[in-house]
């Protein structure tokens, strides 16, 4: 069973019932680049978010994965891949042209567009655990494999120290613009997407017999994923020293690593090892992979990582260890398939989407957002806030909430938006400038809350000396407790909103 522990000891109810989920999946459609960010797309984003949450809940409860079954039955896997490629291209070509102008006035909309890529990948990750879902994607898997390759290249170039990097002084915080904060959020999202792309590649490598021949050819030939992935083990992006402490990236977040866990293989690292194991040992891959001296030398670099600790944690790597050891005195047999005439399958979807007028798309997107009335924006944000309130995200997370500023265990959260958690008022004040655009958009749009907690004070004002986080709020005999950062933490295991 996977992730059975839920909030308290009670099993959480479904985000979506099966009939409702089936109806939403059936209505999924492809969106054009010029439609991104519009009203219809916003509803589409909410649908994908709900499907992702319910799919995660099915995994946590080890229950019937009806979301994945519905995606297969209605042949919507290819729609999700189209969605993924479209948003990636939009982020690369339209977002840079509009972020300066729209960052301050439409921060939330831009953030949701950046974040959408991670939500789609979340659904695909859960779906691709099933080989039937991979088979149902068809030739569009070529585009997905190319996407994963690009994300793997990104992992080889990114500095993990810059992920989640925040301004350290008051002057730096005040000098940070909205577009710079969006860029910081984008880097964080792109890093998480790249780690998910490794998982997708691993699932593809486990189903070589079920994917189109063109996908295997590109993975082993033009892209040569093996040469791309091995350097990740030399300089692992999922490890870093942050403020003098060792951290590992796992389950979408950075966590501190104790001395006893330094050699423990993280989930992110395991995905890389399983991918290499599949590509180097699968009979079909061995028939197609053409060994050169450079490829042989790169594979031999794996030998320094093999030890009993690694094999004990991943016993499946024993055969890979033997293969790498034999490379020192012999070369594997040459590819058994004659090359002859090679017909290469190209990523047609991406090539078609790239044939766009980016300045015109940027102007159209900017006009669309600037022509929205305040009432329309408020209604849109209210619907979004209502969706996250309905999802009850806290019950989907099992760890103690983490302070969004320093990473320590948090006990209070912002009582305006109910999303961000803090360990103290000091951290809330330090994080306020970055949190303010999202907080104000959601809190102003949200319907009146039935909570008895009073709103958090605006930390943008000059704060008074921080009081004890558990002091009961004075006045009017209400007797409720209000933490330095707003609402007192509820009992039971909860987590940050997003």
């Amino acid at each position: 069973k996977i992730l059975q522990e839920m909030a308290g000891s009670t099993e959480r109810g479904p985000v979506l019932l099966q009939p409702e989920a089936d109806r939403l999946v059936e209505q999924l459609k492809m969106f054009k680049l010029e439609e991104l960010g519009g009203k219809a797309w916003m509803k589409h984003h909410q649908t994908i978010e709900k499907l992702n949450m319910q799919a995660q809940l099915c995994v946590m409860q080890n229950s019937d994965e009806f979301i994945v079954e519905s995606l297969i039955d209605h042949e919507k896997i290819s729609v999700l891949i189209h969605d993924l490629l479209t948003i990636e291209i939009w982020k690369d070509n339209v977002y840079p042209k509009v972020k300066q102008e729209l960052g301050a006035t439409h921060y939330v909309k831009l953030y949701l567009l950046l974040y959408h890529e991670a939500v789609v990948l979340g659904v695909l990750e859960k779906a691709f655990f099933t080989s039937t879902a991979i088979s149902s994607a068809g030739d569009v898997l070529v585009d997905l494999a190319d996407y994963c390759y690009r994300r793997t290249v990104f992992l080889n170039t990114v500095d993990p120290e810059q992920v989640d990097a925040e301004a350290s002084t008051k002057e730096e915080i005040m000098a940070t613009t909205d577009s710079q904060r969006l860029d910081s959020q984008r880097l964080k999202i792109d890093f998480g997407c790249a780690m998910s792309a490794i998982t997708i590649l691993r699932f593809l490598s486990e189903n070589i017999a079920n994917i189109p021949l063109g996908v295997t050819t590109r993975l082993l030939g033009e892209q040569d994923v093996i040469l791309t992935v091995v350097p990740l083990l030399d300089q692992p992006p999922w490890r870093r020293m942050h403020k003098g402490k060792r951290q590992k990236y796992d389950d979408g977040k950075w966590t501190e690593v104790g001395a006893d866990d330094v050699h423990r293989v993280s989930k992110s690292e395991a995905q890389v090892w399983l991918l290499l194991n599949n590509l180097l040992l699968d009979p079909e891959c061995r028939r197609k992979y053409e060994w050169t001296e450079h490829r042989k030398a790169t594979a031999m670099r794996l030998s320094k990582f093999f030890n009993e600790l690694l094999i004990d944690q991943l016993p499946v790597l024993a055969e890979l260890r033997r293969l790498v050891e034999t490379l020192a005195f012999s070369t594997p047999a040459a590819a058994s398939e004659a090359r002859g005439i090679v017909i290469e399958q190209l990523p047609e979807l991406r090539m078609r989407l790239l044939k766009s007028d980016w300045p015109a798309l940027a102007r159209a997107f900017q006009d669309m957002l600037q022509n929205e009335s305040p009432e329309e924006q408020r209604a849109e944000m209210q619907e979004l806030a209502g969706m996250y309130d309905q999802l009850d995200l806290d019950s989907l997370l099992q760890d103690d909430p983490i302070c969004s500023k320093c990473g320590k265990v948090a006990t209070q959260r912002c009582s305006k938006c109910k999303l961000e958690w803090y360990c103290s008022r000091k951290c809330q004040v330090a994080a306020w400038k970055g949190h303010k655009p999202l907080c104000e958009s959601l809190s102003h749009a949200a319907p009146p809350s039935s909570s008895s907690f009073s709103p958090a004070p605006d930390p943008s004002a000059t704060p008074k000396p921080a009081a004890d986080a558990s002091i009961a709020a004075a006045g009017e005999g209400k007797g409720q407790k209000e933490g330095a950062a707003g609402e007192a933490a509820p009992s039971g295991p909860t987590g940050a909103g997003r």
Side-chain angles (χ1 to χ4, degrees):
K1 291 185 178 181
I2 305 174
L3 305 176
Q4 283 283 8
E5 185 181 2
M6 303 294 289
S9 58
T10 311
E11 190 173 279
R12 197 242 194 253
V15 174
L16 295 170
L17 296 175
Q18 185 167 352
E20 182 185 6
D22 192 69
R23 176 180 60 81
L24 291 176
V25 170
E26 188 176 10
Q27 293 175 353
L28 289 178
K29 67 172 188 176
M30 299 180 184
F31 281 80
K32 299 178 181 178
L33 281 164
E34 55 268 25
E35 295 176 315
L36 300 188
K39 293 181 180 179
W41 183 88
M42 287 295 292
K43 292 186 179 295
H44 170 74
H45 170 77
Q46 294 182 38
T47 296
I48 299 295
E49 183 77 280
K50 291 178 181 178
L51 294 174
N52 184 41
M53 289 292 179
Q54 181 56 54
Q56 174 67 18
L57 194 61
C58 290
V59 173
M60 291 167 63
Q61 297 177 343
N62 198 27
S63 60
D64 182 24
E65 298 184 17
F66 56 86
I67 298 294
V68 176
E69 293 174 0
S70 186
L71 289 169
I72 296 172
D73 292 341
H74 293 292
E75 299 180 346
K76 296 296 184 178
I77 298 295
S78 59
V79 174
L80 292 177
I81 296 175
H82 180 279
D83 203 11
L84 182 67
L85 269 291
T86 303
I87 201 66
E88 180 206 15
I89 290 175
W90 185 92
K91 287 168 63 174
D92 289 341
N93 297 279
V94 177
Y95 166 74
K97 301 180 186 301
V98 301
K99 64 179 181 179
Q100 294 288 350
E101 186 71 24
L102 301 175
T105 56
H106 295 81
Y107 184 96
V108 175
K109 179 67 70 70
L110 291 177
Y111 173 81
L112 289 176
L113 282 157
L114 298 176
Y115 173 65
H116 187 72
E117 181 180 355
V119 183
V120 176
L121 269 176
V123 179
L124 286 174
E125 270 191 279
K126 299 168 187 70
F128 277 17
F129 189 77
T130 306
S131 59
T132 309
I134 296 177
S135 302
S136 68
D139 290 341
V140 76
L141 284 177
V142 174
D143 282 281
L144 180 62
D146 267 37
Y147 166 86
C148 294
Y149 169 72
R150 289 190 296 275
R151 285 303 184 204
T152 306
V153 173
F154 166 79
L155 279 180
N156 277 291
T157 59
V158 69
D159 179 6
E161 282 290 334
Q162 297 303 314
V163 181
D164 283 343
E166 295 181 350
S168 57
T169 66
K170 179 180 178 181
E171 290 73 20
E172 290 176 347
I173 293 173
M174 299 304 295
T176 305
T177 64
D178 292 299
S179 63
Q180 289 173 333
R181 281 190 288 274
L182 281 168
D183 285 340
S184 177
Q185 291 293 333
R186 179 184 178 178
L187 177 60
K188 179 180 178 180
I189 292 169
D190 286 351
F191 184 83
C193 290
M195 299 307 300
S196 295
I198 295 290
T199 304
I200 297 290
L201 283 174
R202 173 217 157 182
F203 288 142
L204 292 178
S205 68
E206 289 178 347
N207 291 271
I208 291 295
N210 300 321
I211 63 178
L213 178 62
V215 178
T216 307
T217 302
R218 289 182 71 82
L219 289 176
L220 299 175
E222 180 178 337
Q223 297 170 354
D224 203 341
V225 171
I226 296 173
L227 291 188
T228 310
V229 169
V230 170
L232 295 180
L233 295 170
D234 288 325
Q235 294 182 322
W238 51 83
R239 295 180 188 172
R240 70 179 185 183
M241 290 294 294
H242 186 66
K243 297 180 179 179
K245 297 180 180 179
R246 292 188 181 92
Q247 290 186 335
K248 282 188 179 182
Y249 187 85
D250 238 346
D251 291 329
K253 60 186 177 182
W254 290 99
T255 56
E256 292 184 11
V257 180
D260 295 338
D261 295 327
V262 170
H263 299 292
R264 186 184 298 276
V265 177
S266 66
K267 294 179 183 178
S268 303
E269 185 177 358
Q271 299 296 339
V272 173
W273 278 113
L274 294 174
L275 170 61
L276 287 170
N277 188 71
N278 294 334
L279 293 178
L280 288 170
L281 295 181
D282 182 87
E284 184 67 19
C285 293
R286 298 184 73 167
R287 283 196 296 270
K288 295 181 179 298
Y289 196 59
E290 297 184 3
W291 286 93
T292 63
E293 287 302 316
H294 176 57
R295 287 175 169 176
K296 176 181 174 181
T298 302
M300 288 177 62
R301 284 158 54 185
L302 296 174
S303 60
K304 62 186 176 184
F305 300 107
F306 288 113
N307 53 52
E308 296 307 316
L309 285 174
L310 177 62
I311 301 301
D312 285 345
Q313 295 176 77
L314 294 173
V316 70
L317 299 181
E319 187 176 351
L320 178 61
R321 181 182 190 177
R322 288 192 290 270
L323 171 65
V324 172
E325 289 173 349
T326 60
L327 291 176
F329 50 85
S330 66
T331 302
S336 59
E337 293 188 1
R339 291 186 60 85
I341 299 176
V342 177
I343 300 177
E344 184 179 5
Q345 193 172 358
L346 299 176
E348 297 180 5
L349 175 57
R350 177 176 171 83
M351 294 171 64
R352 186 170 66 251
L353 290 171
L354 285 174
K355 296 177 181 179
S356 301
D357 185 346
W358 304 118
L361 282 173
R363 288 193 299 270
F365 179 80
Q366 187 170 324
D367 292 342
M368 176 182 66
L369 265 59
Q370 291 178 338
N371 289 333
E372 290 179 346
S373 66
E375 292 75 18
E376 289 175 325
Q377 294 181 33
R378 192 176 301 111
E380 197 171 71
M381 290 299 101
Q382 184 171 347
E383 185 177 359
L384 187 67
M387 181 197 71
Y388 285 116
D389 184 59
Q390 178 188 9
L391 289 178
D392 187 18
L393 297 179
D394 288 346
S395 65
L396 287 173
L397 303 171
Q398 303 144 290
D399 299 329
D400 290 330
I402 300 299
C403 177
S404 62
K405 178 61 180 175
C406 68
K408 297 179 181 178
V409 174
T411 54
Q412 289 86 34
R413 66 177 174 181
C414 176
S415 65
K416 287 186 177 181
C417 67
K418 305 290 194 284
L419 291 181
E420 294 287 7
W421 287 83
Y422 302 101
C423 65
S424 65
R425 180 176 178 81
K426 179 180 178 181
C427 280
Q428 182 198 20
V429 173
W432 172 246
K433 190 171 179 65
H435 174 55
K436 181 178 179 180
L438 178 64
C439 179
E440 292 188 342
S441 296
L442 292 179
S443 60
H444 290 170
S449 173
S450 59
S451 171
S452 61
F453 296 106
S454 59
D458 187 345
S460 61
T462 303
K464 296 179 180 179
D468 188 285
S470 61
I471 294 178
E476 300 183 6
K478 293 181 180 179
Q480 76 269 21
K481 293 185 180 180
E482 183 179 0
E487 176 181 339
S491 60
T494 57
R498 288 281 290 279

